[in-house]
Amino acid sequence: MTTRAIGLVVLLVLMARPGHAQGADTAAKAGAAPDPAVLTPALIDQGRKIFHGPGNCSACHGDKLEGGPVAPSLRGPTWRHIDGSYDAIIHRVDEGMPGTAMVAHPGGISETQVLMAATYIYAVSHGLAKP
Ligand code: HEC
């Protein structure tokens, strides 16, 4: 996927987030799911690379999202503090969880990379992709 195509997809993600203006909690309660157009193998694959690379997510959440001594599993269907919706996942990676090791933008990843990592987690936890 070219950089321009990824930019378009990210734009799509942002537009597909109905509760964004009112805050992610509203959208999470509405059970917001990603636009199907966003769940492309290419985007999920980018997210997988970020999860195991620059985002360093796997160091705490495990190579297969199974969790570890430091951090909870991200495989669903049960979650520690979020409801597992696409918006809630994005929100947590974007804002972090104050007072825990979960910081905003782990590894200093960009907004685009946050969306990609969240797409990967959503896909795996909903049985749409392998970890
Ligand atoms: C230094 C360890 C660490 C790293 C690195 C880390 N996390 Fe976390 N993460 C945590 C901890 C601890 C929690 C649980 C916070 C809480 O108590 O709600 C968490 C929670 C989460 C949750 C919410 C889980 C739930 O059930 O409430 C998501 C989603 C998440 N992390 C995604 C990511 C992603 C994506 C990355 C990489 C970009 C990442 N994390 C990197 C430690 C980490």
Side-chain angles (χ1 to χ4, degrees):
M1 198 185 250
T2 65
T3 307
R4 172 177 289 186
I6 290 167
L8 278 171
V9 169
V10 168
L11 202 68
L12 238 167
V13 177
L14 291 171
M15 291 189 318
R17 295 171 65 196
H20 193 48
Q22 306 130 19
D25 285 347
T26 315
K29 277 186 199 111
D35 189 300
V38 159
L39 289 167
T40 62
L43 196 66
I44 292 166
D45 205 50
Q46 296 279 347
R48 183 182 289 109
K49 286 186 185 135
I50 289 152
F51 192 91
H52 297 92
N56 208 27
C57 324
S58 55
C60 293
H61 290 285
D63 264 354
K64 307 264 180 212
L65 285 67
E66 73 276 19
V70 181
S73 158
L74 300 175
R75 299 189 70 130
T78 53
W79 301 81
R80 183 178 287 183
H81 283 129
I82 63 172
D83 66 4
S85 68
Y86 189 47
D87 252 60
I89 296 170
I90 293 173
H91 185 250
R92 179 60 85 241
V93 186
D94 208 23
E95 307 276 320
M97 177 75 179
T100 76
M102 184 60 202
V103 298
H105 293 238
I109 57 174
S110 71
E111 192 67 29
T112 306
Q113 291 173 316
V114 166
L115 289 170
M116 289 169 168
T119 302
Y120 166 65
I121 293 170
Y122 181 90
V124 171
S125 61
H126 288 74
L128 304 169
K130 294 208 164 95

